[in-house]
Amino acid sequence: MRCTAPSRGHRTSSAAAACPVHGRSSSRSYTSPSIYASSSSSRSGGGSGSSAGGSGSRSARPRWSPANSSVAYTSDEVAALDRYRSKVEAVEPRAKSYDLFLCHAWDDRRETATELHNLLEAEDVSVWFSEKDIILGQPFMREIDKGLAKTRIGLVLITPALLRRVESGGVSEKELSELLSRDLLIPVAHGVTYEEIRSVSPLLGSRHGLSTEEDSMEEIAKKIAELIAV
C-alpha cells in the first residue's frame, strides 16, 4: 500500500480517511507525514509555510481563470502566481516553442516528473521534457540549452532529490540558474516545505508557487494550464 498524499492530497478528513496507509481503514490512526506537513504557525505567517496557498478559503478567482473553471484558488495562491502570469503574457510568440520547460531531478524522471508531465499534456500544455526531447546520443547540455530557448516559462518540480542535486551543483542547478536569472520559474514543491527549500536555496525558496501538500498533482496541472493559457 502507498500513501495517497503526493497524488491526492490530505487536505480534508475524507481524503485522509481514504488513504490506505494513514486512513481510518488502516491499523494506524492518521497522522500527516512530516515531509508533507507544515506547522499551523508557519501557515499563518503569510508565506513562511510550505506554500503560498497554505492559508485562506479557496474562493479567489484569478484574472486568467476562465469563468467556467472548477479549479479553486486561495487569495495567497493568486497573489503568488500573478507574477508568473505577467511573465507569460510578456513573452513574444515563436515559430516553434513549448509552453513549459520542466526542470526536475534525474532521480525523479521515471516517476514523479513523468506523472506531472503527463498530467500537463492531458491539459493541452506543451512541455519540453528531457525524457522525451533529448534523443540518445545528442549532446545533453546543448539540447537543454536549446530547450530553454524554445520555452515561454519554466516549471521546477522541487523534491528532496532535486535539492540534493542543487547542493551538488548538477545539471538541475544549471537549469535553475538560467530560469531564475530571467525570473521565469514556477515552483512546485513535492515532499518538501518552502522552509526546507530556503535552507538550500534562498533564491529559489523566495519564489512561492504550488505544493502537493495543498493540492493533488491533478489540481496543480489544471492550475498551471490555466496560468499559462494565452
Side-chain angles (χ1 to χ4, degrees), residues 14-183:
S14 59
C19 176
V21 176
H22 301 99
R24 295 191 187 98
S25 59
S26 68
S27 59
R28 295 173 291 178
S29 60
Y30 171 74
T31 303
S32 180
S34 60
I35 60 171
Y36 303 115
S38 62
S39 67
S40 58
S41 59
S42 66
R43 289 189 181 184
S44 62
S48 62
S50 64
S51 74
S55 63
S57 63
R58 292 178 174 270
S59 59
R61 173 68 62 186
R63 60 187 174 83
W64 60 85
S65 182
N68 61 349
S69 172
S70 61
V71 182
Y73 296 81
T74 67
S75 57
D76 287 340
E77 282 180 327
V78 174
L81 296 175
D82 187 70
R83 68 183 294 177
Y84 309 119
R85 176 64 183 186
S86 297
K87 290 290 182 179
V88 168
E89 292 171 339
V91 174
E92 298 275 335
R94 300 180 179 126
K96 183 180 180 181
S97 65
Y98 296 83
D99 295 318
L100 283 175
F101 181 101
L102 178 53
C103 179
H104 61 91
W106 176 257
D107 304 26
D108 296 323
R109 70 192 188 283
R110 297 283 173 81
E111 295 185 2
T112 313
T114 294
E115 177 191 2
L116 181 56
H117 164 268
N118 292 345
L119 288 169
L120 287 166
E121 291 219 321
E123 296 293 330
D124 294 323
V125 177
S126 59
V127 184
W128 193 95
F129 183 41
S130 58
E131 282 299 287
K132 68 177 177 62
D133 289 298
I134 298 183
I135 300 172
L136 186 65
Q138 292 179 324
F140 194 72
M141 289 306 300
R142 177 54 187 144
E143 290 305 307
I144 286 178
D145 193 42
K146 290 194 290 186
L148 288 167
K150 294 176 182 177
T151 49
R152 292 194 288 127
I153 197 164
L155 184 151
V156 57
L157 178 63
I158 311 174
T159 64
L162 183 122
L163 293 183
R164 289 194 296 271
R165 292 282 179 175
V166 170
E167 285 187 302
S168 65
V171 172
S172 298
E173 190 271 339
K174 295 179 177 64
E175 297 169 9
L176 285 172
S177 296
E178 164 60 19
L179 292 166
L180 284 169
S181 69
R182 294 185 290 152
D183 197 19

